Structures are given as C-alpha cells and as structure tokens.
Amino acid sequence: HERPHGLASVAFHLRHISGSLDRLLTYAEGNSLHPAQLKALAAEMSPDGSKEEILAESELGVRDAERRIRAIDLTSWPEPREVGRKKLPTTVAGLLIHCADYTQSHVGQAITTAKVLLALREKPSA
C-alpha cells in the first residue's frame, strides 16, 4: 500500500488490473456494469488488505478474465458494444485489445513502483 513519491501503490495496480478486466469483459459480453462492480471500482484505492489477500484477489481476477476471454466466440469480434454511462461505441475486438493494453500498462506501473520502493529501502541513510 506504500505510495513512494505519491505514486499509486502496487496494491492499487493489482486491484485495478482485476477490476478493469472484469468491467471491460462485462461490456465485451454485451452487459452493463452491476452495483457490485461499481462498489469494487470505488474500493480499488482502499489501503485495506494484506499482501496475501491482494495477491490472491488479483490471481483470481486474472484467472476469471482468462476464462471469460476464452469463452468469447471469435466471430463476435466485429460486433458493436457500448461502454459506460456515455455509451461510447466500440467492438468486442476493441474491448479485448483494450484489456491487453490497459493490463500491460498497469503491470508496468506496478513493477516501476515496486522498483522505486526497493531502491528507497536499499538507499543508505545519510
């Protein structure tokens, strides 16, 4: 949960990856978000949860996303979808590409934050 130099925490990135995948795949499946997903979105910045709990939650979320992605029919990729309250237009393929791009971005940010934390811990005190 540490936030070195004001960076988002590793815990946030792990939660956000799982939550974003869940939300994007909900849209790809042609559904709207339900209240529990909106509640989870609001809790992504929460400083609650142990390292083990957050890692388990993240692993479960990624495994569920993989299962859902594998269940998407390849012929549905060009089908139109809408995202969010504004009903922004996209396609199933666009949402799947966004899943990959957004996940990779947050993985990189989590790694960078972890490296900053390690560097700060290794830095000898003056």
Side-chain angles (χ1 to χ4, degrees):
H1 298 289
E2 293 180 57
R3 299 188 62 203
H5 305 293
L7 296 171
S9 70
V10 173
F12 162 75
H13 289 296
L14 292 176
R15 283 181 167 151
H16 192 60
I17 289 166
S18 297
S20 296
L21 286 169
D22 178 46
R23 292 184 293 275
L24 291 168
L25 291 171
T26 296
Y27 292 129
E29 294 161 345
N31 300 314
S32 298
L33 299 184
H34 49 79
Q37 287 172 301
L38 297 174
K39 185 177 178 182
L41 172 60
E44 286 175 4
M45 291 290 285
S46 170
D48 298 333
S50 69
K51 175 176 67 173
E52 292 78 18
E53 290 168 334
I54 292 166
L55 288 171
E57 174 187 319
S58 177
E59 183 175 348
L60 183 65
V62 170
R63 285 180 189 265
D64 183 57
E66 179 185 9
R67 177 192 58 76
R68 291 167 71 186
I69 289 167
R70 289 181 183 277
I72 294 174
D73 183 350
L74 294 175
T75 63
S76 73
W77 284 25
E79 291 178 9
R81 294 291 187 263
E82 295 177 332
V83 175
R85 292 182 196 124
K86 293 184 180 181
K87 305 225 181 274
L88 300 173
T90 189
T91 62
V92 172
L95 285 160
L96 293 174
I97 290 167
H98 193 58
C99 282
D101 181 56
Y102 203 68
T103 298
Q104 183 60 40
S105 173
H106 280 278
V107 166
Q109 291 175 61
I111 291 169
T112 299
T113 301
K115 286 184 175 186
V116 169
L117 285 167
L118 288 172
L120 290 172
R121 289 184 182 141
E122 293 171 358
K123 184 178 180 179
S125 24

